[in-house]
Amino acid sequence: MFVTFEGMEGSGKTTQSEWAVEYLANKGLKVTRTREPGGTRLGEHLRKILLEKEYSLTPFAEIFLFAADRAEHVEEVLQPALDRGEIVICDRYIDSTTAYQSGGRGLPKEWVENLNKLSSKGLMPDVTILLDCPVEIGLHRARSKGSPPDRFESENVAFYQRVRSTYLQIARLEPGRMHTVNSSSSPEVARVQIAAILDDWVSRKHP
Ligand code: Z5A
């Protein structure tokens, strides 16, 4: 079972995906947690290039780096773990590319979707949990972390509005895969819904 967590920065992906690993492991299930960009040795290098403000990447250069990260991640980490029968929980995957590079940066959607198919070798999540909250809440949480803003955190509110509306559009188009969870209030409130989604999928995939 392949689970992805998506959402804008500060929506709570890291907090909730860490919790989800613990929740499933406590049921005796074998779980691998990973992330994009990152998750492999090459990916962690690419992550630095993508997030550090040192590099002013063009949208085309940026999307190819995300695609290279994903190609490596799918072959080296995601597919092998799924082949071993493990549950894989991944913090960001192809929907991030659609939301940020197409919605945020404005690259043509069809073009981004084709690159997503190539870089992922067609590997799609069984279930995607979209943590959704107003842009102002997400940005406030992210900027309260105290660390200097990275290349994405420096983007303006309009950029994040486009990211959010692209995510919500994917959720409308793919209701069977993408489940939207309101993450505006406390993590505990969102967890009730996340647990129900995970339980449903575990009963289907790992009866
Ligand atoms: N990116 C891209 O453009 N294209 C791609 O294809 C991919 C990625 C794969 C790096 O992602 C950047 O890469 C990302 C998009 C781009 N940039 N942005 N934006 P990242 O996932 O590493 O970075 P991030 O999104 O900035 O993560 P983050 O700042 O760590 O946010 P988060 O994981 O969503 O939030 P969090 O750390 O779990 O929680 C933030 C705080 O909110 C924390 O103190 C929580 O306790 C608190 N909080 C309050 N309420 C809640 C609820 N309800 N749930 C969870 N947490 C809550």
Side-chain angles (χ1 to χ4, degrees), residues 6 15 26 62 74 76-77 94-95 104 116 135 158 160 181 185 195:
E6 294 281 357
T15 309
N26 283 340
E62 182 181 86
V74 167
E76 295 295 317
V77 176
I94 51 169
D95 299 306
N116 275 348
V135 168
Y160 279 103
V181 171
S185 60

Side-chain angles (χ1 to χ4, degrees), residues 2-123:
F2 182 22
V3 184
T4 56
F5 278 78
E6 294 281 357
M8 65 165 286
E9 62 167 336
S11 59
K13 299 172 313 304
T14 309
T15 309
Q16 302 293 16
S17 59
E18 280 171 355
W19 173 81
V21 171
E22 216 182 296
Y23 179 74
L24 294 171
N26 283 340
K27 291 177 182 284
L29 296 159
K30 182 105 179 70
V31 191
T32 290
R33 180 171 176 273
T34 182
R35 66 172 178 179
E36 287 192 6
T40 62
R41 213 166 144 243
L42 171 71
E44 291 300 328
H45 280 294
L46 292 174
R47 182 180 177 89
K48 279 196 181 153
I49 296 171
L50 282 159
L51 299 191
E52 278 174 12
K53 281 164 104 178
E54 190 185 337
Y55 306 95
S56 59
L57 301 171
T58 65
F60 278 102
E62 182 181 86
I63 196 171
F64 281 120
L65 292 182
F66 279 116
D69 168 63
R70 178 155 312 128
E72 188 78 0
H73 195 211
V74 167
E75 284 207 40
E76 295 295 317
V77 176
L78 299 177
Q79 196 61 61
L82 292 167
D83 290 345
R84 291 193 299 270
E86 294 169 18
I87 294 179
V88 174
I89 295 201
C90 188
D91 199 333
R92 294 195 182 281
Y93 190 58
I94 51 169
D95 299 306
S96 285
T97 319
T98 308
Y100 283 80
Q101 277 62 55
S102 175
R105 301 278 189 233
L107 292 177
K109 192 154 183 264
E110 198 187 293
W111 200 88
V112 172
E113 282 172 356
N114 283 337
L115 194 58
N116 275 348
K117 275 187 202 137
L118 280 174
S119 61
S120 66
K121 284 188 147 180
L123 177 68

